[in-house]
Amino acid sequence: MLRTIALTAGLVFAAGIVCSQTPPPPPVVAPAPPPPPGMLPVKLVMKHIVNPAAELYWKAGGEVDTAEGETKRAPGPEDDARWNAAVDAAAQLEEAGNLLAMPGRARDNDKWMKFAKDLNLAGAQAMKAAEARDSKAVDDAGSALYNACFECHGRYIPRPANSLYKHFNEPDSDFKPPK
């Protein structure tokens, strides 16, 4: 009998401890550490490599969503030089995923690495589409590139509370950007 009482008391005590614990706070995104000497910081990789390559690739086709509605871009580059420029831009984006995953740039080994890999894979898809001169595949790859960018920016760039990115402030959110 005494053993049953002690066991019951122990279980009640343990349950009280478990129930009284507060959930852990949401993860805090640490600022990027400074890169080693001779290595561009993430902001400059974005400014000089990723952004220009993405804008050039997106000019190859796809659509732009604005407040006025959807605007279709050209169905694909009109000449060899523009198709080749789309291939080059896609190659830069594929490699940019590797650049962003390098020690000295990576913010963490979890979401950051996933987003860097997403950019790498979307860049490979974009390069294959541009090499094939397949306008539909270029459009699809452009969407994959956009989603890779959107997800990473939503997690690592501070935004106002009313931003489209607000859902990323929720821990382990499965929010997906609009398509």
Side-chain angles (χ1 to χ4, degrees), residues 70-81:
E70 185 179 282
T71 303
K72 290 281 186 192
R73 291 185 169 177
E78 309 85 47
D79 57 38
D80 288 345

Side-chain angles (χ1 to χ4, degrees), residues 12-133:
V12 168
F13 178 74
I17 290 175
V18 169
C19 293
S20 68
Q21 291 179 346
T22 58
V28 175
V29 177
M39 179 185 245
L40 290 175
V42 170
K43 280 187 177 186
L44 293 181
V45 170
M46 297 302 293
K47 180 180 179 181
H48 297 292
I49 300 169
V50 177
N51 293 346
E55 289 298 331
L56 181 59
Y57 187 81
W58 286 326
K59 285 182 182 177
E63 62 193 40
V64 178
D65 296 324
T66 65
E68 293 78 36
E70 185 179 282
T71 303
K72 290 281 186 192
R73 291 185 169 177
E78 309 85 47
D79 57 38
D80 288 345
R82 291 196 177 150
W83 277 112
N84 292 337
V87 172
D88 291 345
Q92 292 169 27
L93 292 165
E94 181 177 359
E95 190 58 30
N98 296 327
L99 292 174
L100 293 170
M102 291 176 66
R105 288 197 187 105
R107 299 258 182 109
D108 58 56
N109 285 320
D110 184 32
K111 299 270 186 194
W112 184 274
M113 298 305 266
K114 176 204 177 299
F115 299 144
K117 183 68 173 176
D118 290 349
L119 178 60
N120 175 267
L121 293 173
Q125 177 186 351
M127 191 169 172
K128 188 175 188 177
E131 287 174 333
R133 297 181 182 213

Side-chain angles (χ1 to χ4, degrees), residues 92-176:
Q92 292 169 27
L93 292 165
E94 181 177 359
E95 190 58 30
N98 296 327
L99 292 174
L100 293 170
M102 291 176 66
R105 288 197 187 105
R107 299 258 182 109
D108 58 56
N109 285 320
D110 184 32
K111 299 270 186 194
W112 184 274
M113 298 305 266
K114 176 204 177 299
F115 299 144
K117 183 68 173 176
D118 290 349
L119 178 60
N120 175 267
L121 293 173
Q125 177 186 351
M127 191 169 172
K128 188 175 188 177
E131 287 174 333
R133 297 181 182 213
D134 181 338
S135 295
K136 170 72 172 104
V138 164
D139 186 27
D140 292 343
S143 293
L145 287 166
Y146 175 84
N147 289 340
C149 296
F150 184 93
E151 289 184 21
C152 188
H153 290 190
R155 177 80 176 181
Y156 293 100
I157 298 176
R159 303 288 178 169
N162 63 350
S163 165
L164 185 60
Y165 293 101
K166 68 184 174 190
H167 302 284
F168 285 99
N169 296 330
E170 299 165 10
D172 299 321
S173 171
D174 289 330
F175 175 75
K176 295 294 180 218

